[in-house]
Amino acid sequence: MAWYLLKLVVLLPLIAGLVWGCLKLAKSVQVRAGIGTGSKSIRIVETTMLSPTLKLAVIEFHGREILVSASRQGLTRLAEAPARVRAGEGSE
């Protein structure tokens, strides 16, 4: 029993340190590769699940809001409208 507890005390922090190191390494590689940096031209405004295989989403893209349905067969554009003004971004 003591041998098991000793292994647990030694190996658990070692595994936690390895996980932490892998996450830090992945983050630094992403920054170096330019992944996840810069401004995004697309933003998901809202999503609604209609069924387990069908979802509606409102996507903002270059000042337009596009309503799309996402299913197993792919995406289908349903409607398009000018983007709404978000709170805090209105003209003063």
Side-chain angles (χ1 to χ4, degrees):
M1 179 73 171
W3 177 244
Y4 173 76
L5 290 175
L6 180 64
K7 287 193 311 185
L8 183 66
V9 166
V10 171
L11 292 177
L12 194 59
L14 180 66
I15 291 172
L18 287 172
V19 169
W20 180 81
C22 286
L23 290 173
K24 286 293 189 180
L25 179 65
K27 185 176 180 179
S28 68
V29 168
Q30 284 180 344
V31 168
R32 239 182 281 146
I35 300 170
T37 59
S39 63
K40 295 181 179 180
S41 61
I42 190 168
R43 184 175 69 90
I44 297 176
V45 177
E46 186 177 340
T47 61
T48 302
M49 185 170 292
L50 298 178
S51 71
T53 60
L54 185 62
K55 185 185 288 189
L56 287 179
V58 178
I59 300 171
E60 185 179 330
F61 181 70
H62 289 291
R64 306 287 292 168
E65 284 188 352
I66 305 165
L67 176 66
V68 296
S69 69
S71 65
R72 289 183 179 171
Q73 288 76 29
L75 292 175
T76 304
R77 185 175 61 120
L78 302 175
E80 189 172 335
R84 296 172 285 180
V85 177
R86 287 186 271 171
E89 290 186 5
S91 59
E92 298 173 17

